[in-house]
Amino acid sequence: MNNRKITRLCPFCEACCGLVVEVNSASRQVISIKGDKDNPFSKGFLCPKSQGLRLLEDDPDRLRRPLVRRGKDFVETDIDSALDEAATAIRKTREKCGNDALGLYIGNPVAHNLGLVIYGGIFALTLPSRNMGTAGSIDHIAKVVSSTELFGSEALIPVPDIDRTDYLLVIGANPMVSNGSLVTAPGWPRRLEALRARGGKLVVIDPRRSETAEVADSHIAIQPGSDVFLLLALVNVLYAENLVSIGTLADITKGVDDLRNLVAPFSPASVAEKTGVDAEVIHRLAREIAKAKSAVAYGRIGTTAQKFGTLTSWLIDVVNILTGNLDREGGAMFPLPVTPALIYNQTYVDGIAPNNRWRTRVKGLPEVSGFSPVATLPDEILTPGEGQIRAMLTLCGNPVRSSPNSARYAEALASLDFMASIDLYLNETTRFANVILPPSGHLEQVHYPPFSPPYMVRSYAKWDGAAFPEETPGDGELLLRLNARILGIEPAALEEQALKGMIAQTLAADAELAEQISPADCFNAVAVHQGPARFIDLLIRCGPFGDRFGARADGLTLTRLQEMPHGIDLGPMIPRLRETITTTDRFIQLVPPLMKQGLASLRDELTRQVSDSTLLLVGRRHLRSNNSWMHNIGALAKGPDRSFLEIHPDDARDRQIFDGATVLIRSRKGQIQVTARITDRIKQGVITLPHGHDHGDDSTRMSVAAKMPGANFNALTDEDEWDSLSGIAVLTGIPVEVALQ
């Protein structure tokens, strides 16, 4: 009799699939999780990861009470004692060594947690440090930088209008498995099937015949890290064959002739050997995308986490611009979100870009949006001097498995004076903490996707209330309390101060609204809600669909959104770049100075050769996990080994490797042993492994993950390899030697 059904958005990736969750209120148990067929955005689609909402609740290894270190061991304590210990240590470190002595690592799950995004922003503003980094710097900041240079804002990242395009070019992405990234479109399999049904074409560029390539009309196997050369050659053909047709944006596009000269040396014939793609294939690709009724090029982590990630990201948009497919139906468009970007949302100010305003202390890497690249945080910990990190806070992340040269990351964390973590697990990273603060489960917290709205292919919104009363504080509440204790003020006062600051900023940017409502009345209007809901209500009401505090009678408010169990779909993307571009002169900067600077280094790279014995390592994803997420959930971790090495038959034969053999992979940073699987799915000269494996450390408490086979991909990656324009770490195309063990 206590069973009831609620709707909720899945919080485990960017797709935001709608779920129907049956729960028992008395026992606080999840009975079942199914796709919400009435959700207008996802229409019933879901993937296996959705079951994590139930399985995480039941995981016996999940921490339920805070842990504090006593000698070499951890002991349980109460929340207030743990918060006091962490706050005291962090405050003393800052007072003794300065603001930059506190480092912050923000893991990928933070982007899907409303409380952490809201209160994380408050933390960064009130406890500033140059040593704060996010998982974005091993994922997508190259795209953030390129979009800023082209359009003036970090948040103006165009997404593919996959529901209306006639030609979709996917580069370095596998949305059939990942469910999409930097584009929120739940149900990629269904959407790609619809593309084919209406006579459209799907082309995939990837070193591996991925799950997405398997359903494509054409698969182009490229040499890892050479995408920049293929795209330069493609642009070369557009100019050479008079296929450039910018269309309606021609009058606000600068640099068209300048770009023609820059790409002239990069003919298809000149890049064929470097890319492994025949010149005629590049010619054909350029003609197809230029002549399609509508077309869009879309790239993801395979194009960003590489040595020329920013240039590659820029060139993808250049292709869309030159073929007239930017800001038009069926092309690359700019979503109209119900709420704006809350992460990486800075713009040009007084002609200054929100990146490279300062550089890191040790290696001189550029900041982006105020964050340092996470790959260099160990440098900042291990290198003495002013600004050295001595205390660390990690939020829902495991950089000892997810960041380059993980052995050095472990060494660095072990050397700290103090470390605190907000995390569900005692894992490879949090084992170095002095205090671990476990949050309540997802279903005990309200949910609104803070990262995804600016990337949604439709203007969609949904609010999820908590399924169960909170027994312990959520992630965001823990961070708010810690922040307040460090500053010596009450959490409510800190939150109120931040909300009033957001209101003042909002009204300052909207003169019409400022004439209509006072800051005090605005605060009182949203203060009917609690916690992060107040911030979201403000953003909704001031947004493009909001009620503007009564001025628009049919406008949206959080209260109205709460009454819509399946959310609200407010329509497809519309052309809007002219109104939103924020470059200094409000022109598209087709060839920004930063990109010219990057192109200057390409000539030597074009002729650089690798040893005949060297193979190039790339990563891969699995539908049942998100890198290292969910490896401790038995129902998702079970089944055949998915951590094996994929190697081409010719490469295996040359090394006398047989199917199922144990092989040694060695890079200049480390070595691992894995099981080999011989397959022609991978390009000759390339091998592939999944990220996030190897959980056998005795000091962790992840009993299921510890039994999983697999080795640590990031024991091989190199913290000294990065994209010079954005600081993003190189995680694809790692040179390695492979031998039978």
Side-chain angles (χ1 to χ4, degrees), residues 699-720:
S699 58
T700 66
R701 298 184 190 173
M702 300 180 71
S703 59
V704 173
K707 297 175 184 176
M708 290 182 71
N712 178 16
F713 183 104
N714 281 304
L716 303 172
T717 50
D718 190 341
E719 80 279 15
D720 294 320

Side-chain angles (χ1 to χ4, degrees), residues 384-398:
E386 185 178 352
Q388 180 186 13
I389 298 174
R390 297 312 313 146
M392 193 81 188
L393 174 63
T394 69
L395 303 179
C396 304
N398 192 2

Side-chain angles (χ1 to χ4, degrees), residues 145-154 156 252-254 346-354 577-593:
V145 172
S146 71
S147 292
T148 303
E149 296 301 303
L150 279 165
F151 312 120
S153 171
E154 295 174 336
L156 285 177
I252 61 165
T253 302
K254 282 186 173 180
Q346 296 187 33
T347 64
Y348 264 80
V349 176
D350 297 327
I352 299 174
L577 181 59
R578 287 181 183 275
E579 293 74 36
T580 56
I581 192 168
T582 57
T583 53
T584 303
D585 57 6
R586 299 185 66 82
F587 275 73
I588 297 171
Q589 305 299 322
L590 195 60
V591 190

Side-chain angles (χ1 to χ4, degrees), residues 139 171-173 206-207 224-227 299-306 309 312 732:
D139 185 280
I171 314 172
D206 200 292
S226 68
D227 307 80
R300 260 311 286 125
I301 194 167
T303 64
T304 54
Q306 57 167 278
T312 303
T732 189

Side-chain angles (χ1 to χ4, degrees), residues 10 12 48-53 56 425 624-634 636-637 642 704 708:
C10 182
F12 297 129
K49 289 190 290 291
S50 63
Q51 303 307 304
L53 276 176
L56 273 173
Y425 288 110
R624 288 177 172 266
S625 68
N626 188 346
N627 299 324
S628 63
W629 292 30
M630 303 183 181
H631 284 181
N632 208 60
I633 297 177
L636 295 178
R642 54 183 185 252
V704 173
M708 290 182 71

